[in-house]
Amino acid sequence: MAKKEYNVLDLFCGCGGLSLGFEQAGFNVLLGIDNWEDALVTYRYNHHNSRTMHADLMSLNPIDVEKEVSHQKIDVIIGGPPCQGFSVAGKRIIDDDRNKLYKSFVRMVAHFKPKAFVLENVPNILSIGDGIIKRAIISDFETLGYTVVNKVLLASDYGVPQNRRRAIFVGLLSDKKFVYPQPTITQRVTTEQALSDLPEQSLPDGSKYPNEPKSEYQKIIRDGSDGVYNHVITIHTEQTQRIIAMVPDGGNYKDLPEELRQTRKVHIAWTRLNSKSPSITIDTGHNHHFHYKYNRVPTVRESARIQSFPDTFIFIGGKGSQLRQVGNAVPPLMAKAIAEQIKNKIKI
């Protein structure tokens, strides 16, 4: 790992997918802040060189954050503020009380004036209101002196076995424009290449791997791990298992008999992952997406693999909470690609 020279503050950090990617790129993540204690427990367990702060970012004073990091310089601020409240009425969103979480991100950037920031969100943030939200975000940060660019990135372009799309805004405190990383792979990692060494049944935490690695991805993701963790299966009802069994590899509800298609009222229901391509975007534990081969939903470890978390990253809490932590995270390998590109653009 490269020498750590740049200090990072992670807002809305969750369990720390963005933080992990920046750590892998050689950054020093000083502090992760979130208001969900479950995720912070996992964060603390895995990010040994970082502190955590359980706080409501809507009301958190940047001075208190300064004290928490012992007044060290913040070079980069990263995070994904929830933006459900964004108004499309034409008002600048920094002045809209319904968007205090987003405003808190702006407030931290305004206070610390980092050399760069990374703000991630759902792709449709760019198109809401014919782009009014996108333009407002860019305007808010340009007012603070940042040159801002945005792009929708596809996680599978960066070695993540998942076709997850995220809108990324990057601002540099200079007249330089950030250039987004080119794809880091020539062939996308498939779901089978990510998961095929993990068994159908549960394993006690710390169990030895039952199989040798069956792909290059598995060799990388297992590096340094002393065993399998978070591989506890969900036991479905017999009827659910019977219905799943009718769906072929890569299929969905359309493959079911007509009378069974409406048993779940969401269009993604009864979707089986495709073994020969990257996974669809994993959810946060709603039990709609099933293993490409086994008649069950993916385990926490399988979901973590799909998100590109290494097997050394262990999730804490109840299974439902763990699935939500994984599903809410930014894929670390995609975060690493962004971080490495930022390192090329900023100078200490």
Side-chain angles (χ1 to χ4, degrees):
M1 187 178 284
K3 182 183 176 185
K4 291 183 177 177
E5 299 171 327
Y6 306 88
N7 290 337
V8 176
L9 173 63
D10 190 349
L11 309 177
F12 311 96
C13 65
C15 67
L18 257 179
S19 283
L20 181 59
F22 272 76
E23 288 169 2
Q24 290 172 339
F27 286 78
N28 180 34
V29 182
L30 294 178
L31 181 67
I33 305 175
D34 206 286
N35 69 346
W36 186 25
E37 181 60 24
D38 278 21
L40 289 177
V41 170
T42 293
Y43 191 104
R44 285 191 286 271
Y45 190 87
N46 293 280
H47 301 275
H48 303 137
N49 297 317
S50 307
R51 297 177 64 83
T52 60
M53 197 171 186
H54 185 155
D56 180 354
L57 276 147
M58 286 196 293
S59 56
L60 183 60
N61 191 324
I63 299 298
D64 294 328
V65 178
E66 264 191 9
K67 293 175 183 173
E68 194 67 32
V69 299
S70 304
H71 300 279
Q72 295 179 78
K73 179 171 174 51
I74 300 293
D75 297 298
V76 184
I77 291 179
I78 62 179
C83 299
Q84 301 97 315
F86 277 170
S87 165
V88 296
K91 195 176 179 184
R92 289 182 75 246
I93 56 177
I94 200 166
D95 297 324
D96 189 329
D97 280 345
R98 290 171 294 176
N99 297 302
K100 289 181 179 177
L101 290 171
Y102 161 73
K103 287 160 62 178
S104 69
F105 191 104
V106 177
R107 191 171 70 248
M108 291 293 176
V109 171
H111 179 86
F112 287 102
K113 281 294 179 77
K115 289 177 166 54
F117 72 82
V118 177
L119 187 154
E120 68 86 27
N121 218 275
V122 294
N124 70 359
I125 197 173
L126 303 181
S127 57
I128 293 171
D130 199 28
I132 192 170
I133 303 301
K134 177 185 78 171
R135 292 191 297 273
I137 291 172
I138 292 171
S139 174
D140 289 339
F141 288 108
E142 284 182 345
T143 300
L144 299 177
Y146 289 85
T147 302
V148 185
V149 293
N150 64 270
K151 187 175 182 179
V152 173
L153 298 187
L154 182 65
S156 58
D157 282 340
Y158 305 100
V160 180
Q162 182 184 189
N163 285 325
R164 189 185 192 96
R165 298 169 68 249
R166 300 302 288 177
I168 307 292
F169 291 82
V170 178
L172 300 177
L173 192 59
S174 70
D175 56 3
K176 294 179 185 174
K177 273 194 171 182
F178 180 73
V179 178
Y180 283 87
Q182 292 296 309
T184 57
I185 57 166
T186 53
Q187 273 197 313
R188 291 190 168 97
V189 181
T190 69
T191 309
E192 184 176 39
Q193 289 169 335
L195 306 183
S196 61
D197 61 326
L198 295 172
E200 181 174 5
Q201 299 303 323
S202 298
L203 289 173
D205 279 349
S207 296
K208 292 189 183 302
Y209 288 95
N211 301 293
E212 290 298 311
K214 299 180 180 181
S215 70
E216 195 58 36
Y217 180 82
Q218 290 169 18
K219 290 178 185 175
I220 294 167
I221 218 75
R222 284 162 62 154
D223 186 39
S225 175
D226 61 3
V228 183
Y229 294 81
N230 305 122
H231 190 67
V232 178
I233 71 167
T234 297
I235 306 294
H236 301 287
T237 65
E238 284 188 20
Q239 184 194 20
T240 296
Q241 292 181 57
R242 182 175 60 83
I243 296 174
I244 301 169
M246 297 180 190
V247 179
D249 183 342
N252 57 36
Y253 73 96
K254 295 176 183 176
D255 295 293
L256 294 172
E258 190 68 42
E259 67 272 14
L260 292 175
R261 292 184 184 182
Q262 296 302 314
T263 50
R264 295 188 178 185
K265 300 292 186 182
V266 287
H267 75 280
I268 58 170
W270 306 115
T271 298
R272 202 188 267 281
L273 303 182
N274 190 327
S275 64
K276 302 306 180 189
S277 67
S279 169
I280 53 177
T281 300
I282 61 167
D283 62 22
T284 55
H286 294 121
N287 291 353
H288 295 313
H289 302 154
F290 298 95
H291 193 282
Y292 64 86
K293 181 179 180 182
Y294 305 135
N295 296 328
R296 58 167 175 76
V297 293
T299 64
V300 172
R301 179 51 50 197
E302 288 165 342
S303 297
R305 289 269 190 98
I306 288 169
Q307 280 276 60
S308 77
F309 279 97
D311 285 2
T312 52
F313 196 101
I314 298 169
F315 294 85
I316 310 298
K319 189 169 64 175
S321 173
Q322 291 177 19
L323 285 167
R324 188 175 151 212
Q325 291 172 43
V326 176
N328 284 342
V330 176
L333 279 181
M334 186 172 78
K336 180 185 178 185
I338 296 167
E340 288 175 337
Q341 198 73 347
I342 284 176
K343 184 176 278 189
N344 292 334
K345 285 287 183 181
I346 61 177
K347 301 275 189 244
I348 295 294

